[in-house]
Amino acid sequence: MIPFLAAAALALMGVHAPVWNDLAACESSGVWDTNTGNGFYGGLQIWQPTWAEHGGLDYAPRADLASSDDQITVAEEILRDQGWSAWPECSRRLGLSGRWHAAQPGDTLQSVADRFQVPEEELRQLNPGAEGADAGAPLVPGTLIRLP
């Protein structure tokens, strides 16, 4: 597992997989197909109504039945909607906070700024190391962009 500070630094740089792996390690000991019967499923312990609300049923009936990549895709939607508070204890332990957007194919900082109605310059200041953020270039899909 990547140490906390390294994971946080990687998240700021737009590398998303280590952050989700660290979160899964905290939530479920990294077992992506876990079903303990508590109503939360998969590596990221996603509550069933949240899974359905954020498009999870497009992948599998429950998170524990989906691949880790599909769980992360749904988690990115949850993150955009609820922020890291969707995973209150583990996000606190890992020092994660606020709302984030996982870049989609074709996203630029300007298009993200427009979508969330925030100044592009503010996104640039919050995300100085975002891959592909220079000169209007497309962001690397999956890059986590911190939102104000």
Side-chain angles (χ1 to χ4, degrees):
M1 180 170 77
I2 294 175
F4 156 70
L5 291 177
L10 289 171
L12 291 175
M13 292 172 25
V15 178
H16 68 288
V19 173
W20 294 115
N21 288 333
D22 284 354
L23 189 62
C26 178
E27 289 286 340
S28 67
S29 299
V31 181
W32 289 92
D33 63 351
T34 193
N35 175 358
T36 61
N38 66 357
F40 295 86
Y41 301 94
L44 300 172
Q45 290 293 277
I46 299 173
W47 189 43
Q48 182 63 25
T50 303
W51 175 256
E53 180 181 338
H54 291 88
L57 297 178
D58 292 343
Y59 302 100
R62 293 189 319 259
D64 60 308
L65 302 173
S67 71
S68 60
D69 286 344
D70 291 343
Q71 290 179 51
I72 290 169
T73 297
V74 174
E76 288 171 343
E77 291 297 320
I78 296 167
L79 178 64
R80 188 174 5 270
D81 185 40
Q82 298 180 20
W84 291 110
S85 63
W87 301 274
E89 181 61 26
C90 289
S91 64
R92 184 190 60 76
R93 284 187 202 167
L94 294 170
L96 303 168
S97 64
R99 287 185 346 127
W100 294 67
H101 167 71
Q104 304 301 304
D107 273 354
T108 63
L109 275 184
Q110 183 61 58
S111 69
V112 173
D114 292 346
R115 182 177 309 135
F116 291 97
Q117 300 178 343
V118 298
E120 181 183 7
E121 186 55 37
E122 190 170 358
L123 286 184
R124 284 193 187 287
Q125 290 172 358
L126 288 171
N127 301 281
E131 293 180 54
D134 298 329
L139 296 164
V140 173
T143 299
L144 292 176
I145 301 298
R146 186 179 189 110
L147 299 172

